[in-house]
Amino acid sequence: MAKFRASSGLVHQGAHRAGTAGKDRDVHDPMARAAARLRETQLRVTVQRMAVLTAIEELGGHPDAEAVRGRAQEVTGGLSLQATYNVLRVLTDVGLVRCTQITGQQARYEAERHNNHHHFVCRLCGDIIDVDCVIGEAPCLVADLPESYRVDEAAVTFWGACPRCAPAEHG
């Protein structure tokens, strides 16, 4: 897993640099990519926002806020859990991050890829994995609602035992 660091000024210079050479380097610089994504949504670029967005990308999977905070602190040096939640809310509101609320678990976060997918949750260990939507287009399910309701998304959660836990469940 690659570590990331922000050095004063260098992240911002690389993120603003024009020309092909600067752009090529930015593709490989997670903080510069995060800065560019923040600018695309017209959010102010801050070290905290870049660090949280980069942490989610690099952690992969579906980390909770505490895991995101721990990774982001490698850049910021100090980031409160409340500040982490505030940044996660802003990033979720603008569509850079997807927040998944699973009953009985803390909210989990993932980089928003704008692909229609669902989740499988292991009842034993709590692992969450993405499940491609069978139909592929949102909302992918038809709800029996009056015509005046407009459904744009269906969140399906599959529950069971993952391959690591399934033998323990039966043994």
Side-chain angles (χ1 to χ4, degrees):
M1 200 174 305
K3 290 206 179 219
F4 57 92
R5 292 182 332 143
S7 55
S8 59
L10 292 180
V11 167
H12 299 292
Q13 288 174 2
H16 290 290
R17 195 177 307 270
T20 305
K23 287 181 185 174
D24 288 345
R25 189 176 68 243
D26 291 351
V27 170
H28 302 291
D29 180 355
M31 292 289 280
R33 276 196 319 273
R37 293 185 69 208
L38 290 165
R39 273 190 221 91
E40 287 171 6
T41 62
Q42 300 181 349
L43 281 178
R44 190 168 53 93
V45 177
T46 67
V47 172
Q48 292 82 4
R49 288 175 179 171
M50 289 186 301
V52 167
L53 189 54
T54 301
I56 291 169
E57 289 277 344
E58 291 190 351
L59 287 169
H62 302 83
D64 63 17
E66 188 62 50
V68 172
R69 175 184 178 232
R71 185 64 181 241
Q73 281 181 321
E74 294 176 23
V75 171
T76 64
L79 185 66
S80 72
L81 189 55
Q82 184 60 53
T84 303
Y85 275 114
N86 292 344
V87 171
L88 287 167
R89 182 186 45 76
V90 168
L91 297 178
T92 300
D93 288 349
V94 298
L96 292 175
V97 169
R98 181 176 181 175
C99 177
T100 300
Q101 302 266 332
I102 303 290
T103 303
Q105 293 194 14
Q106 294 179 353
R108 303 293 187 96
Y109 301 89
E110 62 186 298
E112 179 60 81
R113 306 255 186 259
H114 302 288
N115 62 346
N116 190 34
H117 71 272
H118 304 296
H119 296 99
F120 171 88
V121 179
C122 179
R123 288 186 190 277
L124 301 171
C125 70
D127 275 358
I128 301 173
I129 64 165
D130 291 345
V131 177
D132 289 337
C133 180
V134 175
I135 296 175
E137 294 179 22
C140 80
L141 296 173
V142 178
D144 187 16
L145 292 167
E147 287 184 33
S148 57
Y149 289 83
R150 296 183 53 101
V151 176
D152 60 18
E153 180 181 5
V156 177
T157 303
F158 298 94
W159 294 87
C162 70
R164 279 193 331 259
C165 295
E169 182 182 50
H170 290 77

